[in-house]
Amino acid sequence: MYEYDVFISYRRTASDISEWIRHHFHPRLSEVLDNNLFDDVKIFFDDQVRTGSSWPEELKSALRRSRVLVPVCSPKYFRDELCLAEWYSMAEREALGQHLIYPVIFCDSQHFPDWAHARRPRDLQQWNHPFEHFQTAPAYLDFNQQIKQIAAELEELIERAPEWRDDFPVRTPDAEPPTRARRPRF
């Protein structure tokens, strides 16, 4: 069964992107979607992964049990194996006939691949401020309006998501072998 309505995909090593998602994008999107939909809305953002959990397995399970993917795109997103695995997993599921990927632009879309541009991502570059005090800026009102529009469009995708199947494909990047521990020199 589905557990999440939305899975937020992003390049986890980019601290400004993760801070923006944590402080602004995730809370506003969650609140607006939850206010608009009848059922409680659940959005997966990987800061919810419990300490001590198998992080790759948690991501894989959450992706399989999510209705819609929202990639937060930057040029390096398209070089990150994990990000691409999440995108390609949902793209394979779209073969069932439903649109399930809703990309948003965090920065510099000029360097995105053509197939990403074909998705017509929502441009949020002018509101990509990771700092908490952005919420007190006048521009935050415009950001809130953008989130309302995104939520309205996501509502349709969520409602049209295919019936859940336990064989939904989930790609994973090739695992790198662990580095060999070196003996300390005394």
Side-chain angles (χ1 to χ4, degrees):
M1 293 181 60
Y2 284 115
E3 183 176 351
Y4 300 100
D5 297 294
V6 174
F7 182 103
I8 298 176
S9 172
Y10 68 103
R11 190 169 156 264
R12 288 150 182 91
T13 57
S15 62
D16 57 341
I17 296 172
S18 59
E19 291 299 309
W20 178 77
I21 294 168
R22 178 177 295 105
H23 295 304
H24 309 299
F25 187 70
H26 176 255
R28 284 306 307 143
L29 182 61
S30 182
E31 199 168 281
V32 172
L33 275 174
D34 199 51
N35 286 339
N36 292 352
L37 292 174
F38 179 76
D39 292 323
D40 290 339
V41 171
K42 284 189 77 177
I43 297 177
F44 180 82
F45 172 46
D46 68 0
D47 72 340
Q48 303 158 340
V49 175
R50 297 175 308 273
T51 302
S53 298
S54 171
W55 191 72
E57 288 304 313
E58 290 273 341
L59 286 180
K60 187 176 175 179
S61 175
L63 184 59
R64 178 173 280 124
R65 295 183 177 279
S66 294
R67 295 176 192 274
V68 176
L69 180 77
V70 175
V72 178
C73 302
S74 64
K76 288 183 177 77
Y77 178 95
F78 299 101
R79 290 188 358 212
D80 186 291
E81 287 182 340
L82 184 57
C83 293
L84 290 174
E86 292 166 355
W87 183 300
Y88 294 153
S89 295
M90 198 60 77
E92 286 181 35
R93 192 184 309 176
E94 285 182 333
L96 298 173
Q98 302 297 326
H99 175 69
L100 303 170
I101 300 173
Y102 188 97
V104 297
I105 300 171
F106 181 80
C107 60
D108 192 14
S109 65
Q110 292 178 330
H111 297 98
F112 291 4
D114 290 340
W115 51 264
H117 282 292
R119 296 283 182 153
R120 299 185 50 193
R122 171 73 67 149
D123 190 349
L124 297 179
Q125 291 180 85
Q126 74 183 75
W127 302 285
N128 70 358
H129 309 289
F131 314 107
E132 287 185 63
H133 64 272
F134 172 54
Q135 294 174 7
T136 63
Y140 196 79
L141 296 174
D142 294 331
F143 172 73
N144 188 57
Q145 286 304 113
Q146 290 293 314
I147 294 297
K148 286 180 178 182
Q149 292 173 5
I150 290 169
E153 293 169 1
L154 282 174
E155 288 171 35
E156 291 180 33
L157 299 180
I158 290 167
E159 290 173 7
R160 291 193 322 239
E163 291 293 319
W164 187 81
R165 295 174 19 189
D166 63 358
D167 66 342
F168 279 150
V170 176
R171 288 190 178 190
T172 54
D174 295 330
E176 292 184 23
T179 57
R180 201 175 162 137
R182 294 176 46 175
R183 291 185 177 182
R185 289 192 154 172
F186 295 104

Coordinates of all heavy atoms in Angstrom, one line a residue, residues 52-118:
G52 N 20.0 4.8 13.1 CA 20.2 3.4 13.2 C 19.5 2.6 12.1 O 19.7 1.4 12.0
S53 N 18.6 3.2 11.3 CA 17.9 2.5 10.2 C 18.9 2.3 9.0 O 19.9 3.0 8.9 CB 16.8 3.4 9.7 OG 15.8 3.6 10.7
S54 N 18.5 1.4 8.2 CA 19.3 1.2 7.0 C 18.8 2.2 6.0 O 17.8 2.1 5.4 CB 19.0 -0.2 6.4 OG 19.6 -0.4 5.1
W55 N 19.6 3.3 5.8 CA 19.2 4.4 5.1 C 18.9 4.1 3.6 O 17.8 4.4 3.1 CB 20.3 5.5 5.1 CG 20.0 6.8 4.6 CD1 19.1 7.7 5.1 CD2 20.4 7.4 3.3 NE1 19.0 8.8 4.3 CE2 19.8 8.6 3.2 CE3 21.3 6.9 2.3 CZ2 20.0 9.5 2.1 CZ3 21.5 7.8 1.3 CH2 20.9 9.0 1.2
P56 N 19.7 3.3 2.9 CA 19.3 2.9 1.5 C 18.0 2.1 1.5 O 17.2 2.4 0.6 CB 20.5 2.1 1.0 CG 21.6 2.4 1.9 CD 21.0 2.8 3.2
E57 N 17.8 1.2 2.4 CA 16.5 0.5 2.4 C 15.3 1.3 2.7 O 14.2 1.1 2.2 CB 16.6 -0.7 3.4 CG 17.5 -1.8 2.9 CD 17.2 -2.3 1.5 OE1 16.0 -2.6 1.2 OE2 18.1 -2.4 0.6
E58 N 15.5 2.3 3.6 CA 14.4 3.2 4.0 C 14.0 4.0 2.8 O 12.8 4.2 2.5 CB 14.8 4.1 5.1 CG 14.9 3.4 6.5 CD 13.6 3.4 7.2 OE1 12.7 4.1 6.9 OE2 13.5 2.5 8.1
L59 N 15.0 4.5 2.0 CA 14.7 5.3 0.8 C 14.0 4.5 -0.2 O 13.0 4.9 -0.8 CB 16.0 5.9 0.2 CG 16.7 7.0 0.9 CD1 18.0 7.4 0.2 CD2 15.8 8.2 1.1
K60 N 14.5 3.3 -0.4 CA 13.9 2.4 -1.4 C 12.5 2.1 -1.1 O 11.6 2.1 -1.9 CB 14.8 1.1 -1.5 CG 14.4 0.1 -2.5 CD 15.4 -1.0 -2.5 CE 15.0 -2.1 -3.5 NZ 15.9 -3.2 -3.5
S61 N 12.2 1.8 0.2 CA 10.8 1.5 0.6 C 9.9 2.7 0.5 O 8.8 2.6 0.0 CB 10.9 1.0 2.1 OG 9.5 0.8 2.6
A62 N 10.4 3.9 0.9 CA 9.6 5.1 0.8 C 9.3 5.4 -0.7 O 8.2 5.8 -1.0 CB 10.4 6.2 1.5
L63 N 10.3 5.2 -1.5 CA 10.1 5.5 -3.0 C 9.0 4.6 -3.5 O 8.1 5.0 -4.3 CB 11.4 5.4 -3.7 CG 11.3 5.8 -5.2 CD1 10.8 7.2 -5.4 CD2 12.7 5.6 -5.9
R64 N 9.1 3.3 -3.2 CA 8.2 2.3 -3.7 C 6.8 2.6 -3.2 O 5.8 2.4 -3.9 CB 8.6 0.9 -3.3 CG 7.6 -0.1 -3.8 CD 8.0 -1.6 -3.5 NE 9.0 -1.9 -4.6 CZ 10.2 -2.4 -4.3 NH1 10.6 -2.5 -3.1 NH2 11.0 -2.7 -5.3
R65 N 6.6 3.2 -2.0 CA 5.3 3.5 -1.4 C 4.9 4.9 -1.5 O 4.1 5.4 -0.8 CB 5.4 3.0 0.0 CG 5.6 1.5 0.2 CD 5.6 1.1 1.6 NE 5.7 -0.3 1.8 CZ 4.7 -1.2 1.6 NH1 3.5 -0.8 1.3 NH2 4.9 -2.5 1.7
S66 N 5.5 5.6 -2.5 CA 5.1 7.0 -2.8 C 4.3 7.1 -4.1 O 4.7 6.5 -5.1 CB 6.3 7.9 -2.8 OG 6.9 8.0 -1.6
R67 N 3.3 8.0 -4.1 CA 2.5 8.2 -5.3 C 3.2 9.1 -6.3 O 3.1 8.8 -7.5 CB 1.2 8.8 -4.9 CG 0.3 8.0 -4.0 CD -0.9 8.8 -3.6 NE -1.7 8.1 -2.6 CZ -2.6 7.2 -2.7 NH1 -2.9 6.8 -4.0 NH2 -3.2 6.6 -1.7
V68 N 3.9 10.1 -5.9 CA 4.4 11.1 -6.8 C 5.8 11.5 -6.4 O 6.1 11.6 -5.2 CB 3.5 12.4 -6.8 CG1 4.1 13.5 -7.7 CG2 2.1 12.1 -7.2
L69 N 6.7 11.8 -7.3 CA 8.1 12.2 -7.1 C 8.2 13.7 -7.3 O 7.8 14.1 -8.4 CB 9.1 11.4 -7.9 CG 10.5 11.8 -7.8 CD1 11.1 11.1 -6.5 CD2 11.3 11.3 -9.0
V70 N 8.7 14.4 -6.4 CA 9.0 15.9 -6.6 C 10.5 16.0 -6.5 O 11.1 16.2 -5.4 CB 8.3 16.8 -5.6 CG1 8.7 18.2 -5.8 CG2 6.8 16.6 -5.7
P71 N 11.2 16.0 -7.7 CA 12.7 16.3 -7.6 C 13.0 17.8 -7.5 O 12.4 18.6 -8.2 CB 13.2 15.7 -9.0 CG 12.0 15.5 -9.8 CD 10.8 15.6 -9.0
V72 N 13.8 18.1 -6.6 CA 14.3 19.5 -6.4 C 15.6 19.6 -7.2 O 16.6 19.1 -6.8 CB 14.5 19.9 -4.9 CG1 15.0 21.3 -4.8 CG2 13.1 19.7 -4.2
C73 N 15.5 20.2 -8.4 CA 16.6 20.1 -9.4 C 17.6 21.2 -9.3 O 17.3 22.4 -9.2 CB 16.0 20.1 -10.8 SG 14.8 18.7 -11.0
S74 N 18.8 20.8 -9.5 CA 20.0 21.7 -9.6 C 20.9 21.0 -10.7 O 20.6 19.8 -11.0 CB 20.7 21.8 -8.3 OG 21.3 20.5 -7.9
P75 N 21.9 21.6 -11.3 CA 22.7 20.9 -12.3 C 23.3 19.6 -11.8 O 23.3 18.6 -12.5 CB 23.7 22.0 -12.6 CG 23.1 23.3 -12.4 CD 22.2 23.0 -11.2
K76 N 23.8 19.6 -10.5 CA 24.4 18.4 -10.0 C 23.4 17.3 -9.6 O 23.8 16.2 -9.5 CB 25.3 18.8 -8.8 CG 26.5 19.6 -9.2 CD 27.4 19.9 -8.0 CE 28.7 20.6 -8.5 NZ 28.5 22.0 -8.7
Y77 N 22.2 17.7 -9.5 CA 21.1 16.6 -9.3 C 21.2 15.6 -10.4 O 21.1 14.4 -10.2 CB 19.7 17.3 -9.3 CG 18.6 16.3 -9.2 CD1 18.1 16.0 -7.9 CD2 18.1 15.6 -10.3 CE1 17.0 15.1 -7.7 CE2 17.1 14.7 -10.1 CZ 16.5 14.4 -8.8 OH 15.5 13.5 -8.7
F78 N 21.5 16.0 -11.6 CA 21.5 15.1 -12.8 C 22.9 14.4 -13.0 O 23.0 13.7 -13.9 CB 21.1 15.9 -14.0 CG 19.7 16.5 -13.9 CD1 19.5 17.8 -13.6 CD2 18.6 15.6 -14.1 CE1 18.2 18.3 -13.4 CE2 17.3 16.1 -13.9 CZ 17.1 17.4 -13.6
R79 N 23.8 14.6 -12.0 CA 25.0 13.8 -12.0 C 25.0 12.9 -10.8 O 26.0 12.1 -10.6 CB 26.2 14.8 -11.9 CG 26.4 15.5 -13.2 CD 27.7 16.3 -13.2 NE 28.5 16.3 -12.0 CZ 29.3 17.3 -11.6 NH1 29.3 18.4 -12.2 NH2 30.0 17.1 -10.5
D80 N 24.1 13.0 -9.9 CA 24.0 12.2 -8.7 C 23.3 10.9 -8.9 O 22.1 10.9 -9.4 CB 23.3 13.0 -7.6 CG 23.3 12.4 -6.3 OD1 22.6 11.3 -6.1 OD2 23.9 12.9 -5.3
E81 N 24.0 9.8 -8.7 CA 23.4 8.5 -9.0 C 22.2 8.2 -8.3 O 21.2 7.6 -8.8 CB 24.5 7.4 -8.7 CG 25.6 7.3 -9.7 CD 26.6 6.2 -9.4 OE1 26.6 5.7 -8.3 OE2 27.3 5.8 -10.4
L82 N 22.1 8.6 -7.0 CA 20.9 8.3 -6.2 C 19.7 9.1 -6.7 O 18.6 8.6 -6.8 CB 21.2 8.6 -4.7 CG 20.0 8.3 -3.8 CD1 19.6 6.8 -3.9 CD2 20.5 8.6 -2.3
C83 N 20.0 10.4 -7.0 CA 18.9 11.2 -7.5 C 18.3 10.6 -8.8 O 17.1 10.5 -9.1 CB 19.4 12.6 -7.8 SG 19.8 13.5 -6.3
L84 N 19.3 10.3 -9.7 CA 18.8 9.7 -11.0 C 18.1 8.4 -10.8 O 17.1 8.1 -11.5 CB 20.0 9.5 -11.9 CG 20.6 10.8 -12.5 CD1 21.9 10.6 -13.3 CD2 19.6 11.6 -13.3
A85 N 18.6 7.6 -9.9 CA 17.9 6.3 -9.6 C 16.4 6.6 -9.2 O 15.5 5.9 -9.6 CB 18.6 5.5 -8.6
E86 N 16.2 7.6 -8.3 CA 14.9 7.9 -7.9 C 14.0 8.4 -9.0 O 12.9 8.0 -9.2 CB 15.0 9.0 -6.8 CG 15.6 8.4 -5.5 CD 16.0 9.5 -4.5 OE1 15.9 10.7 -4.8 OE2 16.4 9.1 -3.4
W87 N 14.6 9.3 -9.9 CA 13.9 9.8 -11.1 C 13.5 8.6 -12.0 O 12.4 8.5 -12.4 CB 14.7 10.8 -11.8 CG 14.0 11.5 -12.9 CD1 13.6 10.9 -14.1 CD2 13.8 12.9 -13.1 NE1 13.1 11.8 -14.9 CE2 13.2 13.0 -14.4 CE3 14.0 14.0 -12.3 CZ2 12.8 14.3 -14.9 CZ3 13.6 15.2 -12.8 CH2 13.0 15.4 -14.1
Y88 N 14.5 7.8 -12.3 CA 14.3 6.7 -13.3 C 13.3 5.7 -12.7 O 12.5 5.1 -13.5 CB 15.6 6.0 -13.7 CG 16.6 6.9 -14.4 CD1 17.9 6.6 -14.4 CD2 16.1 7.9 -15.2 CE1 18.8 7.4 -15.1 CE2 17.0 8.7 -16.0 CZ 18.4 8.5 -15.9 OH 19.3 9.2 -16.6
S89 N 13.3 5.4 -11.4 CA 12.3 4.5 -10.8 C 10.9 5.0 -11.1 O 10.1 4.2 -11.5 CB 12.6 4.4 -9.3 OG 13.8 3.8 -9.1
M90 N 10.7 6.3 -10.8 CA 9.3 6.8 -11.0 C 9.0 6.9 -12.5 O 7.8 6.7 -12.9 CB 9.2 8.1 -10.3 CG 7.8 8.5 -10.1 SD 6.8 7.4 -9.1 CE 7.4 7.8 -7.4
A91 N 10.0 7.2 -13.3 CA 9.7 7.2 -14.8 C 9.3 5.8 -15.3 O 8.4 5.8 -16.2 CB 11.0 7.7 -15.5
E92 N 9.9 4.8 -14.8 CA 9.5 3.4 -15.2 C 8.0 3.2 -14.8 O 7.3 2.5 -15.5 CB 10.4 2.4 -14.6 CG 11.8 2.3 -15.3 CD 12.7 1.3 -14.7 OE1 12.2 0.2 -14.3 OE2 13.9 1.5 -14.7
R93 N 7.7 3.7 -13.6 CA 6.3 3.5 -13.1 C 5.3 4.2 -14.0 O 4.2 3.8 -14.2 CB 6.2 3.9 -11.7 CG 4.9 3.5 -11.1 CD 4.6 4.0 -9.7 NE 5.7 3.7 -8.8 CZ 5.8 4.2 -7.5 NH1 4.8 4.9 -7.0 NH2 6.8 3.9 -6.7
E94 N 5.8 5.3 -14.6 CA 4.9 6.1 -15.4 C 4.5 5.3 -16.7 O 3.5 5.7 -17.3 CB 5.6 7.4 -15.9 CG 5.6 8.5 -14.8 CD 6.3 9.8 -15.3 OE1 7.1 9.7 -16.2 OE2 5.9 10.8 -14.7
A95 N 5.1 4.3 -17.0 CA 4.7 3.4 -18.1 C 3.3 2.9 -17.9 O 2.7 2.4 -18.9 CB 5.7 2.3 -18.3
L96 N 2.8 2.9 -16.7 CA 1.4 2.5 -16.4 C 0.4 3.5 -16.9 O -0.8 3.3 -16.8 CB 1.2 2.2 -14.9 CG 2.1 1.1 -14.3 CD1 1.9 1.0 -12.8 CD2 1.7 -0.2 -15.0
G97 N 0.9 4.6 -17.4 CA 0.0 5.6 -18.1 C -0.2 6.9 -17.3 O -1.0 7.7 -17.7
Q98 N 0.4 7.1 -16.1 CA 0.1 8.3 -15.3 C 1.4 9.1 -15.2 O 2.5 8.6 -15.2 CB -0.3 7.9 -13.9 CG -1.5 7.0 -13.9 CD -2.8 7.7 -14.5 OE1 -2.9 8.9 -14.3 NE2 -3.6 7.0 -15.1
H99 N 1.2 10.4 -15.2 CA 2.3 11.4 -15.0 C 2.6 11.4 -13.5 O 1.7 11.7 -12.7 CB 1.9 12.8 -15.5 CG 2.9 13.8 -15.2 ND1 4.2 13.8 -15.9 CD2 2.9 14.9 -14.4 CE1 4.8 14.9 -15.4 NE2 4.1 15.5 -14.6
L100 N 3.8 11.1 -13.0 CA 4.1 11.0 -11.6 C 5.3 11.8 -11.2 O 5.7 11.7 -10.0 CB 4.3 9.5 -11.3 CG 3.2 8.5 -11.6 CD1 3.6 7.1 -11.4 CD2 2.0 8.9 -10.8
I101 N 5.9 12.5 -12.1 CA 7.1 13.3 -11.7 C 6.8 14.7 -11.9 O 6.4 15.2 -13.0 CB 8.3 12.9 -12.6 CG1 8.7 11.4 -12.4 CG2 9.6 13.8 -12.2 CD1 9.7 10.9 -13.3
Y102 N 7.0 15.5 -10.8 CA 6.7 17.0 -10.8 C 8.0 17.7 -10.4 O 8.2 18.0 -9.2 CB 5.6 17.3 -9.9 CG 5.1 18.7 -10.0 CD1 4.0 19.0 -10.7 CD2 5.7 19.7 -9.3 CE1 3.5 20.3 -10.8 CE2 5.3 21.0 -9.4 CZ 4.2 21.3 -10.1 OH 3.7 22.6 -10.2
P103 N 8.9 18.0 -11.3 CA 10.2 18.6 -10.9 C 10.0 20.1 -10.6 O 9.2 20.8 -11.2 CB 11.0 18.4 -12.2 CG 10.1 18.2 -13.3 CD 8.8 17.7 -12.7
V104 N 10.8 20.6 -9.7 CA 10.9 22.0 -9.4 C 12.4 22.4 -9.5 O 13.3 21.6 -9.2 CB 10.4 22.4 -8.0 CG1 8.9 22.0 -7.9 CG2 11.1 21.7 -6.9
I105 N 12.6 23.6 -10.0 CA 14.0 24.1 -10.2 C 14.4 24.9 -9.0 O 13.8 25.9 -8.6 CB 14.0 25.0 -11.4 CG1 13.6 24.3 -12.7 CG2 15.4 25.6 -11.6 CD1 13.4 25.2 -13.9
F106 N 15.5 24.4 -8.4 CA 16.1 25.1 -7.3 C 17.1 26.2 -7.8 O 17.2 27.3 -7.4 CB 16.8 24.2 -6.3 CG 17.5 24.9 -5.2 CD1 16.7 25.3 -4.1 CD2 18.8 25.2 -5.2 CE1 17.3 26.0 -3.0 CE2 19.4 25.9 -4.1 CZ 18.7 26.3 -3.0
C107 N 17.9 25.8 -8.8 CA 18.9 26.7 -9.4 C 19.3 26.2 -10.8 O 19.3 25.1 -11.1 CB 20.1 26.9 -8.5 SG 21.0 25.4 -8.2
D108 N 19.7 27.2 -11.6 CA 20.4 27.1 -12.9 C 19.9 25.9 -13.8 O 20.6 25.0 -14.0 CB 21.9 26.9 -12.7 CG 22.7 27.1 -14.0 OD1 22.1 27.5 -15.0 OD2 23.9 26.7 -14.0
S109 N 18.8 26.1 -14.4 CA 18.2 25.1 -15.2 C 18.9 25.0 -16.6 O 18.6 24.2 -17.4 CB 16.7 25.3 -15.4 OG 16.4 26.5 -16.0
Q110 N 19.7 26.0 -16.9 CA 20.4 26.0 -18.2 C 21.2 24.7 -18.5 O 21.4 24.3 -19.6 CB 21.3 27.2 -18.4 CG 20.6 28.5 -18.5 CD 21.5 29.6 -18.6 OE1 22.7 29.6 -18.1 NE2 21.1 30.7 -19.2
H111 N 21.7 24.1 -17.4 CA 22.5 22.9 -17.5 C 21.8 21.6 -17.2 O 22.4 20.6 -16.9 CB 23.7 23.1 -16.6 CG 24.6 24.2 -16.9 ND1 24.5 25.5 -16.3 CD2 25.5 24.4 -17.9 CE1 25.3 26.3 -16.9 NE2 26.0 25.7 -17.9
F112 N 20.5 21.6 -17.3 CA 19.7 20.4 -17.1 C 19.7 19.6 -18.5 O 19.8 20.2 -19.5 CB 18.3 20.7 -16.8 CG 18.1 21.3 -15.4 CD1 19.1 21.6 -14.5 CD2 16.8 21.5 -14.9 CE1 18.9 22.1 -13.3 CE2 16.6 22.0 -13.7 CZ 17.6 22.4 -12.9
P113 N 19.6 18.3 -18.4 CA 19.5 17.6 -19.7 C 18.1 17.9 -20.3 O 17.2 18.3 -19.7 CB 19.5 16.1 -19.2 CG 19.3 16.1 -17.8 CD 19.6 17.5 -17.2
D114 N 18.1 17.7 -21.6 CA 16.9 18.0 -22.4 C 15.7 17.3 -21.9 O 14.6 17.8 -21.9 CB 17.1 17.7 -23.9 CG 18.1 18.7 -24.6 OD1 18.3 19.8 -24.0 OD2 18.6 18.3 -25.6
W115 N 15.8 16.0 -21.5 CA 14.7 15.2 -21.0 C 14.1 15.8 -19.7 O 12.9 15.6 -19.5 CB 15.0 13.7 -20.9 CG 16.3 13.4 -20.1 CD1 17.5 13.2 -20.6 CD2 16.4 13.3 -18.7 NE1 18.4 12.9 -19.5 CE2 17.7 13.0 -18.4 CE3 15.5 13.4 -17.6 CZ2 18.2 12.7 -17.1 CZ3 15.9 13.2 -16.3 CH2 17.2 12.9 -16.1
A116 N 14.9 16.5 -19.0 CA 14.4 17.1 -17.8 C 13.6 18.4 -18.1 O 12.6 18.7 -17.6 CB 15.5 17.5 -16.8
H117 N 14.1 19.1 -19.1 CA 13.4 20.3 -19.6 C 12.1 20.0 -20.2 O 11.1 20.7 -20.1 CB 14.2 21.1 -20.6 CG 15.3 21.9 -20.0 ND1 15.1 23.1 -19.3 CD2 16.7 21.8 -20.1 CE1 16.2 23.6 -18.9 NE2 17.2 22.9 -19.4
A118 N 12.0 18.8 -20.8 CA 10.7 18.4 -21.4 C 9.6 18.2 -20.4 O 8.4 18.2 -20.8 CB 11.0 17.0 -22.2

